[in-house]
Amino acid sequence: MGKNIVQKIFAAHHVNGDLVAGNHIALKVDQVYTQDATGTMTWLEFEAIGIDRVRVPLAVSYVDHSMLQANFMSADDHLFLQTAARKFGAYFSKPGNGICHQVHLERFAAPGKIALGTDSHTPTGGGMGMIAIGVGGLEAATVMAGAPLEITMPKVMKVRLTGKLQKPYVTAMDVILTLLRKLTVKGGVGRIIEYGGPGVKNLTVTERATITNMGAELGATTSVFPSDGITLAYLTAQGREADWVEMKADTDAAYEEVIDLDLGTVEPMVAQPHSPDNVVPLREIAGKRVNQVCIGSCTNSSYPAMKTVAAILKGRTVAAWVSLLINPGSKQVYEMLAREGLTAEMISSGARVLESSCGPCIGMGGAPGSGQVSVRSYNRNFQGRSGTKDAFVYLASPVSCAVMALKGEIIDPRDAGISLKRITEPKTFRINDNLLIPPIADSRGVEVVKGPNIKDVPVKEPLRNEIEAEVLLKTGDNITTDDIMPAGSKVLPFRSNIPAISEFVFENIDKTFTRRAQEAKVRGGGIIIGGENYGQGSSREHAAIAPMYLGLQAVIVKSFARIHRANLINFGILPLVFTSGADYGRVEQGDRLALRNVVVAVREGRNLTVENLTKGYTFEVAVTLNDRERELIVKGGLLPYTKNS
Ligand code: MIC
Ligand code: SF4
């Protein structure tokens, strides 16, 4: 039997476990990268593990999220990250060098490799024919300390592409929006999506990367494209042809699932508020007035995408009532645009050109006005993420966005009477790595500098055998980590300070959460009840650490999103699943629940009986942990586990 790309890459990195879906497997990792918002915790955790130098071939610490710098805190974080990178043997990508995923694709991603990143959009690298997976910070820290990556082998779903996009009006963004419409934000859970078929050759590397980037919104572990002549051409243009290897599935490779998509049938699409899978063709909602347009982010800020935007804006003016913000994805893209006079075209049209950072995508500036409509070429439109709770955020391609900025309303770019030129990848990129500081060989004597806002990582006590705790909150389906631990300009600067950031847990859902959790902590702690796909979205482990700091003991849900589940376990919080969905309906906020003989049940992998002390009945929950997770949770999480083993 032939092998698919996932099986080939996994086999080449195999440490243990049969590579069969559902099995616990361990893999060797080639590259690990962090970004500043999750990176400070990661490097503090790495330091706490007590290893003096990273034990992976490549580690990179990026700064791209927390760049508003309204006070000292973010700049202190940046200096901490720079000195930690120097001390522990990582590259440091200075603020201004760009968004981690775009820069990594340009400068480090390589076919056939395995990369981890402390950010959910790490799968961007899949466009290069590599396995790139988003993980929590502690997972990344232990891998940098020499441990393998331990995961449950996902199913491999093949998306067989045929045909050609109607370029330039239809883009890769429309492809992934089409798949989100079909598969939803849960459709990729437990799966790796492998693209194949004759349509692959009609997509460039950066188009492939847009698709794999936003595969995160499907809930997929990652997505991967083959590495072919197009990949070689891109790497050559980046001066990295030596990094190329061919990666392709054998003709008789098997897949757990296969779906087909004819690129020729894809139309300009839009995700409506407040979920990336609430997708319809743009034409269906044409005519709605638009107040703000944002173009860029790690999803859509490659050079060809930005050049297309500049060509649309050239000689035209942004609608009077629209504010257009553009954040180019990397210094390389930005510098090339500037040297070709293309930023001048953007500025001339009325665009507000921002620095190369995440910016409005994570609510770091650019918040829309109250009740306003913002259309973005970004990947997430969860309620409140923009910084304005009652804003309406739509997601569309950079081409559609640029056209809408000019027209001031939602419109299919094919209907706008604007004729577009097709823009291709350049033969050579401008290579100037002067904001990428390489590691040094001898780092003895390097001091890691920690500003006053940088506090130690809190660690949980070992698992309690008897848990009696209060239901602090009951949520619906698809709760995001943005709901649990908001980001944005007010909260992001506290990412290195868990006591301070814990004041904001569930802020946008229930302002009393933190106070109630603190009160419940002295009476035995708290429990959260959730629906399906609990914890979807970002990789931020703060969504586990801060609730843990507030005394959270367990989360009981219908199902979990992958990274958040791992983060809960890594910080010693029990991830429990209702064995019968009907029990979700009976339990209410404020109920006191008791779990007895917890350690024994966890060790033996038995279901737990939960007693609802307030209402006087019992129900069952499943403890679906693998052997390592069991040991780890009993010890209080991955940090105590790693230090003691
Ligand atoms: C996001 O897009 O939500 C973020 C901000 O990049 C997060 C990481 C974080 O919260 O720092 C992600 O995607 O993992
Ligand atoms: Fe940054 Fe947005 Fe990409 Fe997250 S999704 S890495 S916030 S640009």
Side-chain angles (χ1 to χ4, degrees):
M1 169 88 72
K3 285 197 172 120
N4 58 44
I5 296 173
V6 176
Q7 288 165 335
K8 287 185 183 182
I9 298 180
F10 279 15
H13 292 81
H14 183 251
V15 176
N16 60 52
D18 281 346
L19 299 176
V20 174
N23 271 3
H24 176 108
I25 58 165
L27 301 166
K28 199 164 91 38
V29 172
D30 305 302
Q31 310 182 341
V32 177
Y33 66 92
T34 60
Q35 45 90 335
D36 53 337
T38 52
T40 52
M41 273 297 130
T42 313
W43 289 101
L44 287 168
E45 288 151 0
F46 183 82
E47 190 183 40
I49 293 171
I51 305 274
D52 48 9
R53 205 168 169 87
V54 295
R55 295 187 181 162
V56 283
L58 176 84
V60 191
S61 171
Y62 291 96
V63 177
D64 52 4
H65 282 66
S66 202
M67 285 178 46
L68 274 183
Q69 294 170 231
N71 56 36
F72 67 93
M73 292 193 262
S74 303
D76 280 3
D77 282 355
H78 303 168
L79 183 61
F80 163 68
L81 291 168
Q82 180 157 9
T83 51
R86 200 169 170 77
K87 178 87 188 166
F88 299 124
Y91 277 86
F92 179 66
S93 174
K94 286 178 69 178
N97 200 35
I99 305 173
C100 56
H101 311 303
Q102 176 66 26
V103 179
H104 206 81
L105 186 76
E106 292 166 357
R107 307 307 301 139
F108 295 113
K113 303 268 189 226
I114 296 189
L116 300 184
T118 60
D119 191 283
S120 64
H121 291 104
T122 302
T124 313
M128 185 70 88
M130 75 192 299
I131 294 289
I133 302 182
V135 293
L138 192 46
E139 202 76 54
T142 54
V143 169
M144 289 197 291
L149 168 70
E150 304 202 32
I151 54 166
T152 304
M153 177 74 189
K155 292 182 187 162
V156 184
M157 174 195 269
K158 177 170 179 178
V159 177
R160 193 174 162 276
L161 299 174
T162 53
K164 271 193 183 135
L165 290 175
Q166 301 163 45
K167 291 183 197 176
Y169 296 91
V170 182
T171 77
M173 178 68 167
D174 301 304
V175 174
I176 188 66
L177 288 172
T178 303
L179 285 171
L180 274 154
R181 183 185 205 195
K182 198 180 167 92
L183 300 173
T184 82
V185 290
K186 291 185 290 196
V189 174
R191 294 168 173 80
I192 294 182
I193 299 179
E194 181 174 315
Y195 291 86
V200 167
K201 65 174 184 311
N202 301 322
L203 295 170
T204 64
V205 167
T206 55
E207 287 170 334
R208 297 173 187 179
T210 292
I211 296 171
T212 58
N213 169 287
M214 215 172 158
E217 274 52 69
L218 293 166
T221 303
T222 190
S223 307
V224 62
F225 270 86
S227 162
D228 54 12
I230 294 170
T231 322
L232 174 59
Y234 179 86
L235 281 169
T236 307
Q238 290 285 359
R240 300 204 286 124
E241 55 275 29
D243 287 342
W244 185 76
V245 291
E246 186 177 44
M247 290 306 316
K248 64 174 181 188
D250 294 333
T251 43
D252 56 345
Y255 295 87
E256 271 91 6
E257 289 149 316
V258 181
I259 60 170
D260 284 291
L261 181 68
D262 176 356
L263 296 171
T265 63
V266 175
E267 292 190 71
M269 304 299 267
V270 62
Q272 308 174 94
H274 298 284
S275 179
D277 63 356
N278 189 12
V279 173
V280 290
L282 262 171
R283 277 182 181 154
E284 269 184 30
I285 58 163
K288 186 180 253 312
R289 198 176 169 104
V290 170
N291 309 99
Q292 183 193 56
V293 174
C294 300
I295 306 179
S297 91
C298 59
T299 314
N300 281 301
S301 53
S302 65
Y303 171 78
M306 286 290 162
K307 194 167 172 177
T308 311
V309 168
I312 297 170
L313 298 177
K314 185 174 177 182
R316 301 188 171 94
T317 301
V318 170
W321 56 90
V322 171
S323 177
L324 169 63
L325 296 102
I326 302 181
N327 56 330
S330 70
K331 168 165 168 286
Q332 182 181 78
V333 171
Y334 210 159
E335 190 179 344
M336 286 173 70
L337 294 175
R339 286 182 186 277
E340 290 169 43
L342 297 171
T343 22
E345 302 300 349
M346 293 172 170
I347 294 166
S348 166
S349 75
R352 300 162 59 184
V353 187
L354 309 175
E355 61 181 337
S356 263
S357 71
C358 300
C361 180
I362 194 57
M364 296 303 277
S370 47
Q372 289 191 354
V373 169
S374 175
V375 189
R376 303 172 161 210
S377 75
Y378 302 170
N379 51 37
R380 287 184 176 142
N381 58 345
F382 305 142
Q383 186 160 22
R385 179 176 161 104
S386 66
T388 307
K389 201 170 169 193
D390 65 354
F392 298 95
V393 178
Y394 293 74
L395 308 173
S397 81
V399 168
S400 304
C401 282
V403 167
M404 289 190 262
L406 298 175
K407 297 289 174 189
E409 61 180 35
I410 296 212
I411 186 168
D412 184 313
R414 295 169 300 182
D415 303 333
I418 298 177
S419 85
L420 301 185
K421 275 203 319 252
R422 223 176 122 165
I423 286 158
T424 50
E425 295 279 356
K427 290 262 169 310
T428 51
F429 288 94
R430 189 177 171 85
I431 295 152
N432 174 0
D433 287 331
N434 61 351
L435 295 189
L436 205 48
I437 317 283
I440 52 169
D442 183 357
S443 56
R444 279 171 303 184
V446 173
E447 189 208 343
V448 177
V449 183
K450 289 182 195 156
N453 184 51
I454 301 177
K455 307 280 187 232
D456 288 345
V457 187
V459 179
K460 194 174 170 291
E461 78 281 359
L463 184 66
R464 293 187 206 156
N465 201 34
E466 308 281 311
I467 295 175
E468 236 191 76
E470 175 181 324
V471 175
L472 295 170
L473 192 69
K474 181 173 172 181
T475 74
D477 292 345
N478 296 321
I479 282 292
T480 71
T481 46
D482 280 273
D483 295 324
I484 305 169
M485 186 74 260
S489 56
K490 193 172 68 172
V491 186
L492 216 54
F494 293 112
R495 285 287 181 96
S496 317
N497 183 341
I498 297 297
I501 209 169
S502 70
E503 297 288 329
F504 300 96
V505 175
F506 279 115
E507 246 243 319
N508 293 331
I509 292 197
D510 179 351
K511 290 223 177 315
T512 66
F513 181 88
T514 301
R515 186 183 40 77
R516 289 188 294 102
Q518 282 159 346
E519 285 166 10
K521 190 173 178 180
V522 288
R523 298 192 300 265
I527 290 178
I528 289 171
I529 305 291
E532 301 280 5
N533 201 22
Y534 180 86
Q536 69 157 332
S538 94
S539 69
R540 65 191 69 148
E541 57 187 354
H542 301 76
I545 314 177
M548 179 275 275
Y549 180 79
L550 294 173
L552 190 71
Q553 301 297 316
V555 180
I556 310 178
V557 299
K558 292 186 190 165
S559 68
F560 284 103
R562 175 185 64 91
I563 310 179
H564 186 59
R565 176 183 172 278
N567 284 337
L568 289 173
I569 296 169
N570 288 346
F571 285 91
I573 300 171
L574 272 175
L576 304 172
V577 178
F578 288 106
T579 51
S580 155
D583 292 323
Y584 167 84
R586 295 175 76 188
V587 54
E588 281 177 297
Q589 187 173 312
D591 287 356
R592 276 196 82 70
L593 306 183
L595 291 82
R596 317 244 180 251
N597 283 326
V598 180
V599 174
V600 184
V602 165
R603 281 230 158 92
E604 291 175 2
R606 279 196 277 113
N607 286 354
L608 268 167
T609 302
V610 183
E611 252 179 279
N612 188 329
L613 301 173
T614 310
K615 301 220 164 65
Y617 68 91
T618 61
F619 61 97
E620 293 251 298
V621 292
V623 192
T624 43
L625 300 167
N626 64 38
D627 293 346
R628 170 179 172 263
E629 290 169 344
R630 272 194 256 286
E631 263 329 290
L632 198 156
I633 211 152
V634 167
K635 293 216 163 76
L638 185 53
L639 208 50
Y641 173 84
T642 306
K643 283 178 98 168
N644 302 334
S645 58

